[in-house]
Amino acid sequence: MLLWSLCAGSITTFSLYAPLFLSRLRYTQFQVNAVSITGELFQYLPIAFFGYLCDHYSPRPICLAAAVFFGAGYLLAAFTYKQGPPQEGGWPPGVMMVAFMGVGSGTCSLVICAVTTCVKNFGKSKQKGLAFAVPIAAYGMSGLWISQVGSRVFIEPGSAGRRGDVDVYRYFIFLSGLLFAVGLLGAVVLRVNEEELIEEAGDEMERSSSLDENPLLQHSITHDNTATYGTLSRPQSSDSSVHSRGLGGALRRNLALNTETRRFLMDPTMWFLTAGFFLVTGPGEAFINNLGTIILSLYPPTAVTTPRSNSGATNVSIVAISSTVARLLTGSLSDLLAPSAPHEPKPKSLTLSRVAFLLASAIFSALSQLLLASTVVQHHPSLFRLVSALAGLGYGTAFSIGPIIVNVAWGAQNFGTNYGIMCLVPAGGAAVWSAVYSAVYQRGVAPGVGASLCNGYRCYGATFWGMFVSSLVAVGLWVWAWRGWKKRGVLV
């Protein structure tokens, strides 16, 4: 699982070559962000579908699909880049967008395979938080090593003592071959042990009569204040219910999983949790995709190059490292400090709700956005590394604690579908905030700049004030969800 996670985050290095899309391909900032938004949308929108397939079938065919998506996507991107600017006969930006549909879909399918396999194999472990955090942390680390390979190995020859830019064509060819091989390997070796989870869900479904509005099985979902592990309590069976015992294994499995999906969608706290994810992870994704152009705007147009200590590759690595540290700490601390269940013989002396980690992710994100929204970083560009570190902490914490809460509140048997549904929203958030950033950036471009480059605080200031407010609203939504879980006795 670690291998697939360590290779899945290539899309997080977008800011490594995004400035070259502006200067070499002569894309506008809107067109660059159209490419990044396309990748983001396809990184998240299909995740519920792929999660459903992982739950109902197996992660192995999804890994095979990832190999095809990645291989074809990066290969098309490489040749599109090699054709040069559209103004000189090169392929239009729409072709690059199609290429990143494949890259986003490959990222989505490979990540959901790794996380779902981990959850189903270790979902009942006492160290479930750490078990979930490791593949997610490895995904964060993938951006670190891939960006370093791109910035150190695939480099064009420099001139006049200046370090060369990334050789985007060879970099894309490398990623195409590597990720095709990794996906193919996953299709052969991945194994999931989930029969016990399905049996438990099926037995529980039989006891509760299951599936309302189904001609075979009648089910009513009730809420009470009894302390349960999941968010929704399991109702008592009625005399009129028709039990599913005796149904074929496949039908029994589908009924159990579909019931869990309905419970998840009917829970109001799920919508508060998901809305908060939209408001925090969307700005985080937009920042990661655009940090390359933000860095360029911090330095005067006369600067030959940005300092290596504050380059795009350096800051991508900082985001990756801080995100990885946040994921590992969140996973381990959430296990260590999680509230004790009533039946535990030795209650913990010190406990901390997992929601506290969610709130911390929003606070870290808000601080990074506040630094950019103020003029501090514009006057002291070296502080951008602190912005990257805080953004990585917020982004990593959110994506580490999110699946843990979904598993704790709604169970592991339908995790792929449930978590996939929740992960739809970062795509929307990224699209919204990338569009906002593009509009603000493009408005700040001075006439005659040529390559549509913007310089100064006007390129990004208003965008990050909006992101700051967005993170604060997320805090309120998550506190509201926390109140709902506490009323139901959910030990989140």
Side-chain angles (χ1 to χ4, degrees):
M1 289 174 289
L2 288 180
L3 173 64
W4 294 277
S5 297
L6 279 170
C7 295
S10 63
I11 198 170
T12 62
T13 67
F14 185 87
S15 57
L16 194 64
Y17 45 83
L20 297 177
F21 283 3
L22 284 168
S23 60
R24 301 284 183 84
L25 298 184
R26 301 179 193 170
Y27 290 178
T28 65
Q29 185 62 47
F30 276 115
Q31 290 170 330
V32 173
N33 268 343
V35 174
S36 72
I37 289 170
T38 300
E40 294 287 350
L41 289 175
F42 280 82
Q43 182 183 350
Y44 291 109
L45 291 183
I47 199 167
F49 174 68
F50 288 137
Y52 176 89
L53 293 180
C54 286
D55 287 334
H56 286 254
Y57 301 99
S58 164
R60 294 170 67 185
I62 311 305
C63 273
L64 180 61
V68 176
F69 286 136
F70 271 132
Y74 274 121
L75 197 62
L76 179 59
F79 284 101
T80 304
Y81 183 86
K82 191 175 183 179
Q83 296 303 309
Q87 298 90 332
E88 297 179 5
W91 295 348
V95 179
M96 188 68 81
M97 292 171 65
V98 171
F100 273 80
M101 290 180 188
V103 174
S105 297
T107 304
C108 168
S109 49
L110 205 57
V111 169
I112 197 66
C113 282
V115 176
T116 300
T117 300
C118 186
V119 167
K120 290 183 181 291
N121 287 339
F122 303 103
K124 303 191 76 174
S125 167
K126 288 184 178 180
Q127 286 76 41
K128 65 172 72 69
L130 183 60
F132 300 167
V134 167
I136 296 173
Y139 172 78
M141 283 295 292
S142 64
L144 169 63
W145 79 263
I146 294 174
S147 67
Q148 290 303 312
V149 168
S151 62
R152 295 177 184 272
V153 178
F154 300 101
I155 293 293
E156 298 173 339
S159 60
R162 179 180 178 273
R163 182 180 176 84
D165 293 317
V166 176
D167 188 331
V168 179
Y169 172 73
R170 289 197 300 135
Y171 181 56
F172 283 168
I173 292 293
F174 162 73
L175 291 176
S176 175
L178 171 70
L179 295 169
F180 179 80
V182 168
L184 208 59
L185 182 63
V188 175
V189 304
L190 270 185
R191 294 289 186 276
V192 175
N193 180 21
E194 61 177 344
E195 292 307 315
E196 184 180 351
L197 294 171
I198 297 300
E199 285 298 318
E200 288 181 1
D203 291 341
E204 191 171 295
M205 183 185 69
E206 291 171 1
R207 289 194 300 270
S208 63
S209 78
S210 222
L211 282 185
D212 63 325
E213 299 180 3
N214 187 290
L216 292 175
L217 306 167
Q218 297 297 320
H219 172 72
S220 63
I221 296 177
T222 60
H223 300 258
D224 61 22
N225 295 321
T226 306
T228 58
Y229 190 71
T231 301
L232 297 180
S233 61
R234 304 320 194 224
Q236 302 297 318
S237 58
S238 63
D239 294 338
S240 60
S241 65
V242 180
H243 288 222
S244 65
R245 196 178 306 278
L247 291 173
L251 178 57
R252 186 171 187 262
R253 173 194 180 95
N254 287 333
L255 290 173
L257 293 175
N258 290 339
T259 299
E260 293 301 320
T261 302
R262 291 190 181 189
R263 287 174 176 162
F264 180 72
L265 291 174
M266 293 178 66
D267 186 351
T269 59
M270 183 277 289
W271 294 102
F272 289 120
L273 176 65
T274 302
F277 254 73
F278 175 89
L279 295 172
V280 168
T281 60
E285 296 279 1
F287 170 79
I288 292 171
N289 285 339
N290 292 289
L291 67 83
T293 54
I294 298 171
I295 291 171
L296 290 179
S297 68
L298 298 177
Y299 296 93
T302 54
V304 176
T305 183
T306 58
R308 181 162 179 78
S309 61
N310 204 25
S311 66
T314 298
N315 281 279
V316 168
S317 298
I318 291 172
V319 171
I321 292 171
S322 58
S323 174
T324 300
V325 170
R327 293 170 203 242
L328 290 174
L329 286 178
T330 299
S332 55
L333 290 177
S334 67
D335 285 334
L336 185 65
L337 301 175
S340 301
H343 61 270
E344 288 189 15
K346 294 182 179 180
K348 300 174 184 176
S349 57
L350 176 64
T351 63
L352 183 67
S353 171
R354 294 176 177 90
V355 179
F357 294 95
L358 266 183
L359 301 181
S361 73
I363 292 170
F364 284 134
S365 298
L367 288 175
S368 71
Q369 292 148 6
L370 183 61
L371 282 173
L372 276 173
S374 65
T375 58
V376 174
V377 177
Q378 186 64 47
H379 294 125
H380 305 280
S382 61
L383 288 177
F384 191 82
R385 288 169 290 183
L386 176 59
V387 173
S388 296
L390 289 170
L393 289 173
Y395 183 83
T397 302
F399 274 100
S400 180
I401 199 64
I404 296 171
I405 288 179
V406 170
N407 176 69
V408 169
W410 292 284
Q413 60 270 18
N414 203 43
F415 173 84
T417 305
N418 292 346
Y419 185 58
I421 291 170
M422 193 178 77
C423 277
L424 292 173
V425 297
V432 168
W433 285 109
S434 291
V436 170
Y437 173 79
S438 295
V440 173
Y441 185 97
Q442 204 66 38
R443 189 180 60 189
V445 174
V449 171
S452 300
L453 294 175
C454 180
N455 177 260
Y457 176 77
R458 66 181 183 276
C459 307
Y460 60 84
T463 302
F464 284 92
W465 275 120
M467 290 181 176
F468 174 71
V469 173
S470 176
S471 295
L472 295 184
V473 174
V475 170
L477 291 173
W478 283 336
V479 169
W480 197 266
W482 192 2
R483 290 180 58 188
W485 287 322
K486 288 181 69 175
K487 286 181 181 179
R488 297 173 188 159
V490 182
L491 301 176
V492 175

